[in-house]
Amino acid sequence: MNDRSSTVAPNLREISALFDMRADYIHGVPYGSGHINDTYCASYDQAGLKPLRYILQRINTNVFKTPERLMENIARVTRHSLGLLIEAGNPEARRRTLTCIPAIDGKPFAIDALGNYWRVYPFIERATGYDEIETNDQAFQAAKAFGNFQKLAAGLGGERLHETIPDFHNTPKRLEALRTAIEADPLNRADGLKAEIDFVLSRSNDCSRITDLIAAGVIPERVTHNDTKLNNVLLDNETSEGVCVIDLDTTMPGSALYDFGDMVRTTTPSTREDSIELNNLDLRIDRFDALVCGYVASARSFLNNAEFENLAFSGKLLTLECGIRFLTDYLLGDVYFKIKHPEHNLDRCRNQFAFVAAIEKRLPEMERIVASHVG
Ligand code: ADP
Ligand code: GN1
Ligand code: MG
């Protein structure tokens, strides 16, 4: 069972002292609804100016096995973004990209007395990460921002980024991991999951479409975000514009389709990811239209034909993959994703599979929409 949430609350004042904050700690609280890291929002007094807020994050080293390399990636990508924003004369450059606050030793992370890895970012104010979409414009703005992130990352010079989680979106390998979990079945859960397992197995041929196209050189490797769920881009509270792409742990070599597919997964369903009301679960075609429109606005200049042709399919594949991962984690005893109740991963898996079925019905319409934006 994933019990990180029950570990002793960290002393955020002591964590702050590991960083070059130039401000006095006031107080801090757990923050956000991410499934992976432990995130806190803390307030500070900077020579009488308060409260200034920062995000303090304990990196999940069960998930990210090489945190120093991960932070090297993030430091490179964020420095690159900041440089471009400043060059373009953006008056709020530090609201438009994450910036790593250096630790006392100058590194972009610090290690506490217990061996935990921590990082600190300025809190991006007057912007929100939505767990559930509310308007079509949010889909448009999120897709535009993630497309811009890909464009900007394409200009990152130097060595290939580290793979922080190898084979992260290799769906055939995710399927293999599910098969292994079914075999091992440490909690005797597999017998009760026949419908879910059959759902996946009957779609096993879909799993290798993108990886095959990459292997054949038809779809290029790019620097991608790889975790483009809606709450990983902060939208301006007034204008809805995507002001800052966050959660950069999986920014590494990948496919543009991984990013677009995960946007479809999280912006077009009519329910949230863990809803158990599945009867009317559908893909909102108006949202999909807005999503494609936003993505094409920023990515049209660099996507190739094969990428365009697979945009709609990527939504199905990334949703299937995510469902496979929730199911695998449920079978293994909830060791990866944070859960709020014992059946949480199973609820999420059933939701994702119901959404895959909904996408399948809408695929021809989705293809037509993509074509209308590209043509
Ligand atoms: P996880 O990997 O667990 O999803 P995230 O990096 O996405 O962690 O952070 C969790 C949540 O914290 C985000 O969804 C967002 O709401 C909030 N958050 C993270 N970084 C910032 C930031 N710099 N400013 C404001 N909110 C942030
Ligand atoms: C995790 O970290 P977060 O909550 O933004 C996961 C994604 C999944 C998503 C499902 C590093 O995203 O891959 O798609 O949960 N991140 C990692 O909600 O595994
Ligand atoms: Mg996140």
Side-chain angles (χ1 to χ4, degrees):
M1 159 97 177
N2 180 340
D3 63 354
R4 265 175 293 119
S5 50
S6 65
T7 54
V8 183
N11 184 329
L12 298 177
R13 184 183 299 278
E14 282 177 17
I15 302 301
S16 300
L18 303 174
F19 289 86
D20 188 10
M21 302 301 301
R22 302 176 190 202
D24 302 311
Y25 175 84
I26 305 173
H27 71 100
V29 288
Y31 191 81
S33 51
H35 295 347
I36 302 295
N37 296 301
D38 294 330
T39 303
Y40 301 86
C41 172
S43 301
Y44 296 78
D45 179 336
Q46 186 190 273
L49 178 64
K50 65 180 179 182
L52 276 185
R53 299 201 287 178
Y54 287 86
I55 286 283
L56 274 56
Q57 254 180 350
R58 177 167 47 201
I59 301 170
N60 182 335
T61 48
N62 178 40
V63 166
F64 300 108
K65 309 285 186 201
T66 54
E68 305 198 6
R69 288 173 156 229
L70 176 153
M71 288 311 299
E72 199 181 306
N73 280 1
I74 294 183
R76 272 181 68 194
V77 170
T78 53
R79 242 186 274 122
H80 175 65
S81 310
L82 185 65
L84 292 180
L85 287 159
I86 290 173
E87 201 178 294
N90 193 303
E92 49 171 37
R94 283 169 185 79
R95 187 169 170 257
R96 299 272 165 168
T97 175
L98 290 179
T99 335
C100 298
I101 300 295
I104 295 298
D105 62 7
K107 292 191 175 142
F109 62 87
I111 305 174
D112 71 14
L114 301 171
N116 294 307
Y117 282 73
W118 289 86
R119 64 183 166 216
V120 177
Y121 299 125
F123 188 98
I124 309 297
E125 298 286 354
R126 294 174 281 109
T128 304
Y130 292 87
D131 289 331
E132 194 172 1
I133 187 158
E134 293 166 0
T135 67
N136 291 351
D137 189 48
Q138 290 173 343
F140 175 89
Q141 299 291 357
K144 193 170 161 215
F146 280 124
N148 268 330
F149 180 84
Q150 289 176 344
K151 197 191 283 179
L152 172 155
L156 185 73
E159 282 178 25
R160 192 170 181 263
L161 289 175
H162 302 297
E163 290 187 42
T164 56
I165 302 180
D167 295 316
F168 188 56
H169 284 306
N170 185 321
T171 319
K173 291 207 171 161
R174 294 293 188 180
L175 178 62
E176 221 26 67
L178 173 63
R179 289 187 206 272
T180 307
I182 296 168
E183 277 290 304
D185 196 18
L187 299 165
N188 297 315
R189 288 178 164 176
D191 272 353
L193 298 170
K194 196 167 169 351
E196 289 75 14
I197 292 169
D198 287 349
F199 185 93
V200 177
L201 297 183
S202 65
R203 286 162 181 79
S204 56
N205 286 341
D206 285 328
C207 290
S208 56
R209 161 117 59 122
I210 295 180
T211 42
D212 284 352
L213 288 169
I214 294 172
V218 176
I219 288 184
E221 176 181 290
R222 301 183 186 280
V223 176
T224 49
H225 182 283
N226 294 304
D227 191 0
T228 55
K229 68 198 255 193
L230 180 63
N231 70 12
N232 285 332
V233 55
L234 303 179
L235 305 183
D236 187 278
N237 289 347
E238 277 181 21
T239 65
S240 271
E241 191 189 350
V243 285
C244 187
V245 168
I246 61 167
D247 202 346
L248 305 180
D249 296 321
T250 51
T251 299
M252 59 181 163
S255 160
L257 295 174
Y258 300 152
D259 283 0
F260 187 77
D262 210 54
M263 292 182 224
V264 176
R265 183 183 80 77
T266 58
T267 60
T268 67
S270 55
T271 61
R272 55 192 290 154
E273 177 185 79
D274 58 356
S275 168
I276 55 171
E277 302 287 325
L278 303 179
N279 285 339
N280 297 318
L281 177 52
D282 197 0
L283 177 134
R284 290 272 308 255
I285 206 77
D286 52 334
R287 297 256 151 91
F288 183 75
D289 193 10
L291 190 78
V292 177
C293 190
Y295 187 54
V296 167
S298 50
R300 184 195 295 276
S301 61
F302 62 84
L303 293 182
N304 75 15
N305 282 345
E307 288 171 313
F308 277 120
E309 280 163 14
N310 284 284
L311 286 179
F313 174 78
S314 73
K316 172 178 165 183
L317 187 63
L318 270 285
T319 308
L320 180 65
E321 181 190 276
C322 197
I324 291 173
R325 294 173 62 200
F326 288 141
L327 182 57
T328 306
D329 199 32
Y330 181 68
L331 281 162
L332 294 180
D334 310 300
V335 291
Y336 186 95
F337 295 104
K338 289 186 181 188
I339 53 167
K340 295 210 171 96
H341 57 87
E343 308 270 278
H344 207 164
N345 273 321
L346 182 57
D347 290 349
R348 289 167 174 156
C349 152
R350 288 184 170 145
N351 177 297
Q352 299 295 287
F353 290 168
F355 191 52
V356 169
I359 297 178
E360 284 170 347
K361 292 200 192 108
R362 297 276 191 184
L363 263 178
E365 256 176 296
M366 293 164 71
E367 304 284 11
R368 278 197 295 277
I369 287 175
V370 172
S372 76
H373 284 286
V374 175

